[in-house]
Amino acid sequence: MEEREGEVRWDGLCSRDAASRAAALDNIGQAVLRRSETIAPVAAVPLSRAADGPLVPAARDGLSEVLARLLMLSKRCPFPDVREKSEAILSRVQELGIRIPRPLGHGPSRFIPEKETIQVGNEDAMMHALFAESFATLGRLDNVTLVMVFHPQYLESFLKTQHYLLQMDGPLPLHYRHYIGIMAAARHQCSYLVNLHVNDFLHVGGDPKWLNGLENAPQKLQNLGELNKMLAHRPWLITKEHIEQLLKTEENSWSLAELIHAVVLLTHYHSLASFTFGCGISPEIDCEGGHTFRPPSVSNYCICDITNGYHGVDEIHASPTGSIPVSICPIKSTESVCEVEALMEKMKQLQECRDEEEASQEEMATRFEREKRESMFVCSSEDEESAPTRDVSRHFEDTSYGYKDFSRHGMHVPTFRVQDYSWEDHGYSLVNRLYPDVGQLLDEKFHIAYNLTYNTMAMHKDVDTSMLRRAIWNYIHCMFGIRYDDYDYGEINQLLDRSFKVYIKTVVCTPEKTTKRMYDSFWRQFEHSEKVHVNLLLVEARMQAELLYALRAITRYMT
């Protein structure tokens, strides 16, 4: 943030040391007030009149960006001293007669009421440690983190992996990593992630010209465009020839280690775009769409509204574990209660059928092919209102290239049998060999997402949800043509209804088309934390599916 002017420096706020943060806040406060006074010198105006009268816009000299950053810190910093001092600086600026920003929207998600999310400053000790770690690492506590924290065990693994991919020693330079993140997120028009990584790219010294379009980036990154679009939309088309093209391009060639790093980053951000749209993540407060300088229409508006953010903190109740908030006495319709009872009854019946008889291999194969074929006809009406996004198409080529089902116009794609190439037996060791420790981090994250359970379903406790979790994971892999020989795909139609399948397919294949109506229409009786849990399964199953196709092609190239 304008650090080149030498006036406002934010780095010290990430320190774990309170004295260092206090010194940084003093410097920030002095710099902001100096700028403010040059825009609106009000020495002769009584403070009460300056605050109540017409306010001066803050657009000059980069002040509006600084004030937006302070607004974000006053709401989202896990350190109370930073929140309070940021609020005080904003209050002083307003007293000088300058208009200050206020947040747009309510909370980190457009789909989840703010009162049902964790409020910063109201988190338990484990969550606070995660928030502090995230803030110290990234310089922000982003909305993805504030939604993922419904599941702290997963969030810890996610943050550790992302930190390693973006900031620790690795084959690719730091600015390449963020640019690849921008390329990947742009494939799904995910302006939320593009915005974050544009800022990070510039912060680590990236060339601003690259942001004018992929054609302005080095040829080496341009060459990655083809793999990016296939991984995002049609990973089953990736062959060893695509890998060979990247590795054998003379002066612009990739090393195997660099390519593995790039593939993991691409798949990470494709799947994170799915989470962003699937959970309706709101723009960050200090980014475009997250704040406004326009005065609100409500009368008697004051600084305390901005800095306190209309939070109904006392409306949050903790669960027995102290980690997952639930809404107070949610009123469930009779139909919704019947829906969850019916799902539990189906799970019980399927378990009994499993115990009694086992289908033949031929029948299992037939059921897979039927489910794969049927998944092609699961689609949403595309005229619904999805989240508005900035045009980010300059960050990738071939904007018309999108998701296509397997067997359009008689084209047939062979089934990918996990028994022939799996993450556990093949992908894991390849990644770990070429990019040490990352295979281990990814493996841990996959396992946490797949096995995560609180043994609850809506209002029911002590429920074994493994059958349902496996059905969700395997349905996603089925959409990508990936088959597990030991799984009965007949279970999927029993456990996942049409509205749920529409939501899953949209979030995984065309996340930018996800709407609040889709989110609301599946599992209507379940808690928001359970719907976020579903999204964690979608994220990790999608990432693993993309990785399997890319890593299999790399393995074939190497042999």
Side-chain angles (χ1 to χ4, degrees):
M1 192 23 269
E2 300 298 327
E3 288 179 339
R4 63 185 179 277
E5 296 177 13
E7 287 191 38
V8 182
R9 297 194 62 88
W10 307 96
D11 300 0
L13 299 183
C14 299
S15 173
R16 306 289 188 131
D17 176 52
S20 300
R21 293 198 302 270
L25 284 162
D26 285 341
N27 290 334
I28 290 168
Q30 290 166 20
V32 170
L33 292 174
R34 272 199 304 273
R35 285 194 194 184
S36 302
E37 285 160 0
T38 63
I39 292 173
V42 290
V45 183
L47 284 182
S48 59
R49 279 192 52 215
D52 295 339
L55 297 178
V56 178
R60 275 178 46 194
D61 197 25
L63 183 60
S64 57
E65 290 87 353
V66 174
L67 296 181
R69 182 85 173 254
L70 283 167
L71 176 65
M72 179 272 289
L73 291 168
S74 75
K75 306 266 291 169
R76 293 284 194 261
C77 183
F79 304 122
D81 54 335
V82 176
R83 290 200 302 273
E84 290 159 14
K85 186 63 187 277
S86 299
E87 175 183 337
I89 295 169
L90 284 171
S91 182
R92 177 72 182 121
V93 169
Q94 190 181 48
E95 287 170 0
L96 290 171
I98 293 173
R99 189 173 296 147
I100 63 173
R102 61 189 177 86
L104 281 174
H106 299 282
S109 164
R110 294 180 298 111
F111 296 172
I112 305 172
E114 185 174 17
K115 67 177 191 234
E116 295 189 38
T117 60
I118 294 291
Q119 310 297 317
V120 178
N122 198 43
E123 69 273 13
D124 64 23
M126 180 186 181
M127 290 177 182
H128 180 75
L130 288 171
F131 286 174
E133 181 64 36
S134 180
F135 190 84
T137 303
L138 300 171
R140 60 177 179 263
L141 183 56
D142 60 36
N143 289 335
V144 165
T145 300
L146 289 170
V147 173
M148 273 187 189
V149 80
F150 275 117
H151 304 285
Q153 184 191 5
Y154 174 84
L155 176 61
E156 183 176 19
S157 177
F158 173 87
L159 290 174
K160 192 163 55 170
T161 304
Q162 184 170 261
H163 174 61
Y164 198 98
L165 292 175
L166 291 176
Q167 293 171 293
M168 300 294 281
D169 286 346
L172 293 173
L174 296 182
H175 61 301
Y176 266 52
R177 303 180 196 193
H178 291 294
Y179 197 80
I180 289 169
I182 292 167
M183 288 172 64
R187 281 285 0 153
H188 288 305
Q189 293 101 59
C190 187
S191 55
Y192 171 86
L193 290 174
V194 169
N195 276 336
L196 290 185
H197 286 282
V198 162
N199 292 336
D200 291 340
F201 172 77
L202 295 172
H203 184 72
V204 297
D207 185 343
K209 292 196 195 74
W210 296 12
L211 300 173
N212 294 330
L214 188 56
E215 69 277 6
N216 296 288
Q219 188 63 44
K220 182 170 177 172
L221 282 166
Q222 292 183 44
N223 293 346
L224 197 63
E226 185 76 8
L227 185 64
N228 180 27
K229 74 178 187 182
M230 283 192 299
L231 270 175
H233 306 297
R234 308 176 203 172
W236 48 86
L237 297 180
I238 297 169
T239 65
K240 68 177 183 181
E241 284 73 29
H242 294 112
I243 304 303
E244 186 172 14
Q245 273 183 326
L246 289 166
L247 297 172
K248 293 274 182 77
T249 326
E250 317 230 321
E251 73 268 22
N252 296 311
S253 66
W254 293 74
S255 71
L256 266 172
E258 287 174 332
L259 185 58
I260 289 285
H261 194 170
V263 162
V264 174
L265 282 167
L266 290 172
T267 58
H268 176 81
Y269 282 104
H270 294 155
S271 56
L272 192 54
S274 284
F275 184 88
T276 300
F277 286 115
C279 291
I281 299 297
S282 303
E284 294 299 324
I285 288 173
D286 56 333
C287 287
E288 183 183 345
H291 63 276
T292 180
F293 282 86
R294 289 181 185 162
S297 54
V298 183
S299 59
N300 299 324
Y301 183 75
C302 71
I303 181 69
C304 58
D305 292 321
I306 291 172
T307 49
N308 292 333
Y310 310 102
H311 290 327
V313 176
D314 51 352
E315 293 182 32
I316 300 293
H317 283 194
S319 68
T321 61
S323 60
I324 299 173
V326 295
S327 53
I328 306 161
C329 305
I331 299 168
K332 309 289 186 187
S333 71
T334 309
E335 182 188 353
S336 291
V337 173
C338 291
E339 193 181 1
V340 72
E341 302 286 1
L343 182 54
M344 290 177 68
E345 183 58 33
K346 281 178 186 170
M347 288 164 63
K348 183 181 169 191
Q349 288 170 1
L350 285 170
Q351 188 59 54
E352 288 168 357
C353 290
R354 271 186 191 174
D355 296 340
E356 286 171 17
E357 58 177 313
E358 195 172 310
S360 67
Q361 279 300 310
E362 292 76 14
E363 177 59 24
M364 300 268 263
T366 301
R367 289 175 186 175
F368 169 78
E369 292 300 331
R370 185 186 304 131
E371 190 58 53
K372 187 172 77 169
R373 194 168 57 250
E374 285 180 6
S375 77
M376 289 191 289
F377 302 108
V378 173
C379 60
S380 61
S381 52
E382 293 181 12
D383 55 349
E384 290 189 56
E385 190 66 30
S386 50
T389 60
R390 268 189 326 136
D391 179 31
V392 293
S393 58
R394 67 183 181 280
H395 298 299
F396 62 90
E397 301 170 300
D398 195 359
T399 55
S400 63
Y401 192 97
Y403 170 79
K404 288 285 187 295
D405 292 312
F406 295 100
S407 304
R408 294 282 171 89
H409 312 299
M411 266 176 30
H412 178 68
V413 177
T415 292
F416 184 123
R417 295 177 72 250
V418 168
Q419 276 65 20
D420 298 334
Y421 194 96
S422 69
W423 166 256
E424 290 81 5
D425 297 333
H426 306 90
Y428 167 82
S429 56
L430 177 62
V431 172
N432 241 20
R433 189 162 85 248
L434 293 168
Y435 188 9
D437 298 329
V438 170
Q440 182 66 42
L441 288 167
L442 292 174
D443 192 59
E444 176 186 295
K445 189 159 63 78
F446 290 148
H447 275 95
I448 289 172
Y450 189 87
N451 295 313
L452 187 66
T453 183
Y454 305 94
N455 297 306
T456 60
M457 275 180 65
M459 67 293 295
H460 296 275
K461 302 194 185 314
D462 302 317
V463 182
D464 180 357
T465 61
S466 57
M467 180 183 290
L468 187 55
R469 285 180 279 119
R470 191 177 184 195
I472 295 167
W473 185 281
N474 287 1
Y475 180 61
I476 296 158
H477 279 194
C478 178
M479 292 190 304
F480 285 94
I482 297 169
R483 181 187 167 209
Y484 296 83
D485 285 355
D486 62 346
Y487 183 69
D488 180 357
Y489 286 84
E491 292 186 4
I492 288 173
N493 270 341
Q494 298 289 316
L495 298 174
L496 313 183
D497 63 22
R498 179 171 170 76
S499 62
F500 194 12
K501 283 184 170 182
V502 166
Y503 177 79
I504 291 172
K505 185 171 180 183
T506 305
V507 171
V508 171
C509 299
T510 51
E512 61 278 10
K513 293 178 181 173
T514 309
T515 64
K516 187 174 188 300
R517 188 185 308 169
M518 290 180 201
Y519 176 90
D520 289 339
S521 68
F522 86 92
W523 282 12
R524 288 163 295 173
Q525 73 288 4
F526 284 72
E527 302 293 347
H528 289 291
S529 61
E530 292 171 303
K531 292 194 173 193
V532 173
H533 188 176
V534 166
N535 273 275
L536 301 184
L537 286 166
L538 306 192
V539 164
E540 298 304 332
R542 176 185 180 176
M543 183 174 185
Q544 192 179 98
E546 286 189 26
L547 277 174
L548 282 172
Y549 278 108
L551 297 174
R552 183 179 68 168
I554 291 171
T555 299
R556 286 177 173 173
Y557 166 79
M558 291 169 67
T559 52

